[in-house]
Amino acid sequence: MKKWCFFVAFLMPCLLQGQTISTVAGNGASVFSGEGVPAITAKTPNPHGGAFDRHGNYYFCDGQNSNRIRKITPAGIITTVAGNGSGGFSGDGGPATSAQLNGPGGVAVDTLGNLYIADLQNQRIRKVTAATGIISTFAGTGIGTYNGDGIPAATASIWGPQDVCIDKYGNVYIADAFNYRVRKVAPDGIISTYAGNGTPGYSGEGTTATSSMVGLLVGLCSDTSGNIYTASNTICRVMKISTAGIMTTVAGNGGTTYIGDGIPATTAQIIPGRVFVDIDNNLFITDKNNCRVYKVDATGILYNIIGNGTPGDTGDGGLATAATLNYPVGIVADVCGNLYVPTVGSLSVPGSGRRIRKVTFNPSTTAAVTITGITSAALGATVTVNAAVSGAGSSYSIKWFNKGVQFATTATPVVTFTKVHNRDSITARIVPAITYCYDSAMSNLHIVTKSSVGVEPLLEASPVCVYPNPAYNQLTVTGSNITAITISNPLGQALITTAQTDVDVSVLPAGIYSIKVMQLGGYSTVQKFIKN
């Protein structure tokens, strides 16, 4: 991450400069949606954790109500890479997207791009092999207990794995929460205890990790030297396990009430959750209960860098320290030093949290794109829209979207399309051609409505796609000029009628249904789908 200042006396003003927060995915909805679309338009019911691969793809767990691992590409497109949305255990040896996960809470990526998933309620660590997309059990038997060390990880029992991380040597570490241990799986697949004696508590400073008590572990990470950091929300400390196996406190004093920042981290009162160390060895800590994210710099001073202590989702476009933050449960930085923070919702506040917030620190420049052009046209007309681009240098491309579906990529800020919708919703995203640390910006929404001028061509039916099939909580219908969707049971009784193309089918019992899609011009398509 960029070094912001050289003298502590000037650190706080430097931290504030350019510390801008935004939302990159989710809108507070508790129902899953969004595949192959801009992440900002997707719904993320329960985001947790987070990790980047070497290509700049961001992975996060979408836990309860989704049970998926999702990926956001550097271009801002979101997809599912593991989990079929149904909570349970199945699928080992097959495609990860067809498998069942159960409350995944943590994810890590190795240098080959393989994913390691803390599959919490399945009491396992699952692995998705990058080369094949096949999922398997990496550690855990599915039984929540402890059965010893020095055995293959897949035959060992782990209990409530909350998080997972990988050191520079390829060792995989597991926050084995209810066994009150950190478990280590070596490259040869053998598991051992790296820290914790199985008893919850705090053993003091400078103790040997394997003989020490640890609290309930909810966060885990590694630095560039191979030191491991553990976060416990019961002893309210972040502990460092040195490569020599010695445990010391690096943040927290056991208290829980926020008392301010700019103080030695070991005197701060925090309730740590997820942790992350950047390439400059700055430590970042989420404090879910206090609705803040902290940074501990190389001198051991703790600063509040995200959140004003109030739960909420406000503040986008402004300083991160002034924003409200709805219970952060993940923290990681991209190659440009921007932080990504998943937040969970409040049960008492519908529509809260369930977002991925992003904080950009002192970008070298900020790209911006604004769309202009005509605002109405006849169906069948060729429409041209323009983009005004600033702050992006001379080497970039623009991805164009209509109703969230990409239809073109251009090297110049102009695009044409044939109007087939009554209402076209055009957006554009700037994408750097090389690794260049500006924020990949999304444009304003440009609407082109139907014009009554001229003679409109006769519309023809366009292909209709219904997915996923089988469906669980939500069904998506694609196709142009859709006017109505009706879902009926085998007796022909209409159960759902809507004009929305994202249909909530969670209320339907399991079974086979027909879906009738009406399009402009009187065309209709009938398909079958399975509700699981």
Side-chain angles (χ1 to χ4, degrees):
M1 206 163 172
K2 296 183 183 71
K3 295 184 183 295
W4 302 328
C5 278
F6 297 99
F7 302 101
V8 173
F10 300 107
L11 186 54
M12 284 308 294
C14 219
L15 278 171
L16 293 176
Q17 181 182 1
Q19 185 180 336
T20 305
I21 193 168
S22 61
T23 297
V24 295
N27 65 359
S30 59
V31 177
F32 164 85
S33 77
E35 283 294 300
V37 300
I40 192 62
T41 68
K43 299 172 184 177
T44 56
N46 201 353
H48 278 72
F52 276 91
D53 68 15
R54 61 190 177 93
H55 302 293
N57 298 299
Y58 171 65
Y59 300 85
F60 67 95
C61 302
D62 210 357
Q64 298 295 333
N65 299 327
S66 182
N67 295 299
R68 294 171 169 92
I69 305 299
R70 305 177 78 178
K71 178 178 83 170
I72 301 176
T73 70
I77 303 301
I78 193 168
T79 56
T80 294
V81 294
N84 62 14
S86 176
F89 173 72
S90 72
D92 275 3
T97 50
S98 299
Q100 287 179 299
L101 305 174
N102 204 355
V107 62
V109 189
D110 67 17
T111 55
L112 298 177
N114 302 309
L115 299 182
Y116 298 80
I117 304 162
D119 199 355
L120 176 62
Q121 295 182 31
N122 279 326
Q123 320 297 345
R124 291 173 167 92
I125 304 298
R126 312 286 287 279
K127 177 181 178 181
V128 180
T129 301
T132 62
I134 300 299
I135 195 169
S136 59
T137 292
F138 178 77
T141 62
I143 301 173
T145 185
Y146 171 73
N147 66 345
D149 294 310
I151 57 178
T155 67
S157 293
I158 56 179
W159 192 0
Q162 298 276 342
D163 205 1
V164 59
C165 75
I166 304 170
D167 70 13
K168 65 177 185 177
Y169 305 108
N171 299 300
V172 177
Y173 298 84
I174 303 165
D176 197 354
F178 297 115
N179 281 323
Y180 302 102
R181 291 173 167 90
V182 176
R183 310 288 285 281
K184 172 184 171 182
V185 182
D188 63 3
I190 300 300
I191 197 169
S192 61
T193 292
Y194 194 71
N197 61 13
T199 302
Y202 168 65
S203 293
E205 300 300 305
T207 57
T208 302
T210 51
S211 62
S212 299
M213 295 185 292
V214 297
L216 183 71
L217 301 179
V218 292
L220 202 61
C221 72
S222 173
D223 66 17
T224 55
S225 299
N227 302 303
I228 301 298
Y229 297 78
T230 67
S232 168
N233 60 7
T234 55
I235 65 171
C236 296
R237 288 176 167 85
V238 176
M239 306 289 290
K240 175 183 175 181
I241 308 169
S242 72
T243 55
I246 302 300
M247 293 194 75
T248 54
T249 297
V250 291
N253 67 0
T256 61
T257 303
Y258 175 75
I259 58 174
D261 64 347
I263 59 178
T266 52
T267 67
Q269 296 191 166
I270 62 177
I271 308 176
R274 299 307 171 97
V275 286
F276 169 75
V277 177
D278 69 14
I279 60 174
D280 294 321
N281 288 319
N282 298 300
L283 170 67
F284 298 87
I285 306 166
T286 65
D287 189 338
K288 175 182 175 183
N289 296 68
N290 285 311
C291 298
R292 301 176 188 269
V293 176
Y294 312 116
K295 173 192 172 185
V296 180
D297 68 13
T299 69
I301 302 300
L302 179 142
Y303 296 97
N304 179 72
I305 58 169
I306 310 175
N308 63 11
T310 302
D313 308 292
T314 63
D316 279 1
L319 292 178
T321 50
T324 59
L325 194 63
N326 216 90
Y327 310 115
V329 287
I331 182 75
V332 70
D334 64 17
V335 294
C336 299
N338 306 308
L339 295 176
Y340 289 67
V341 182
T343 64
V344 295
S346 170
L347 294 177
S348 61
V349 184
S352 64
R354 303 181 179 90
R355 292 166 166 86
I356 308 290
R357 308 290 291 276
K358 176 182 178 181
V359 176
T360 303
F361 289 91
N362 299 324
S364 56
T365 185
T366 301
V369 54
T370 303
I371 300 178
T372 59
I374 63 174
T375 57
S376 66
L379 294 178
T382 298
V383 177
T384 300
V385 292
N386 300 282
V389 178
S390 62
S394 60
S395 183
Y396 64 85
S397 62
I398 302 177
K399 293 184 182 296
W400 300 87
F401 302 87
N402 191 349
K403 295 181 177 290
V405 178
Q406 183 180 339
F407 68 90
T409 299
T410 65
T412 57
V414 62
V415 74
T416 59
F417 66 93
T418 301
K419 184 168 178 57
V420 295
H421 301 292
N422 284 335
R423 179 183 171 91
D424 292 280
S425 303
I426 308 300
T427 53
R429 179 177 287 276
I430 296 292
V431 180
I434 58 175
T435 301
Y436 180 61
C437 289
Y438 62 74
D439 191 20
S440 182
M442 178 66 85
S443 74
N444 59 303
L445 183 67
H446 183 73
I447 303 297
V448 182
T449 60
K450 172 186 172 183
S451 169
S452 59
V453 177
V455 178
E456 297 176 357
L458 180 65
L459 292 176
E460 296 182 358
S462 65
V464 169
C465 180
V466 177
Y467 66 93
N469 192 0
Y472 297 90
N473 294 319
Q474 183 166 300
L475 197 66
T476 298
V477 182
T478 61
S480 63
N481 308 309
I482 293 175
T483 59
I485 295 171
T486 302
I487 295 178
S488 304
N489 63 18
L491 299 178
Q493 298 169 317
L495 304 180
I496 297 176
T497 299
T498 180
Q500 300 297 317
T501 55
D502 289 328
V503 186
D504 182 1
V505 294
S506 61
V507 297
L508 299 178
I512 299 176
Y513 296 87
S514 63
I515 179 167
K516 183 177 182 180
V517 182
M518 295 295 300
Q519 297 173 276
L520 286 176
Y523 297 103
S524 65
T525 301
V526 179
Q527 295 186 19
K528 299 288 185 181
F529 77 93
I530 299 173
K531 168 64 170 62
N532 282 349

